[in-house]
Amino acid sequence: MDVVQLLGVNVRHHRKLRGMTQEQLAAAADMERGYVSDLERGTRNPSVAALGRIAKALGVQPSVLLEPST
């Protein structure tokens, strides 16, 4: 799995852990819902700034979103 796909899997995992919809995460990260959807599907390569906003909205460090699951 490449890093973009891994990021998408982790974003979806942490979003669902918090009981958030894509719309809620998008609003919290000041993004469009479609952008979050693209991230989760691994079709969007986010900037470092976007990664930081997503991580902050999910309450995790950005590095957590790039780590393989155990």
Side-chain angles (χ1 to χ4, degrees):
M1 178 178 318
D2 74 12
V3 70
V4 176
Q5 291 173 324
L6 177 61
L7 173 65
V9 167
N10 286 338
V11 167
R12 178 174 288 156
H13 172 76
H14 287 282
R15 176 179 63 78
K16 289 189 173 198
L17 276 179
R18 283 151 185 77
M20 296 174 84
T21 64
Q22 287 182 344
E23 291 83 4
Q24 290 167 328
L25 176 56
D30 193 29
M31 298 177 167
E32 297 291 325
R33 190 214 47 87
Y35 189 91
V36 172
S37 176
D38 289 347
L39 280 176
E40 289 187 358
R41 287 184 287 119
T43 61
R44 175 79 62 151
N45 189 3
S47 67
V48 173
L51 175 63
R53 290 196 325 263
I54 288 281
K56 183 175 180 181
L58 290 171
V60 299
Q61 291 296 314
S63 61
V64 169
L65 297 178
L66 299 172
E67 294 174 357
S69 60
T70 56

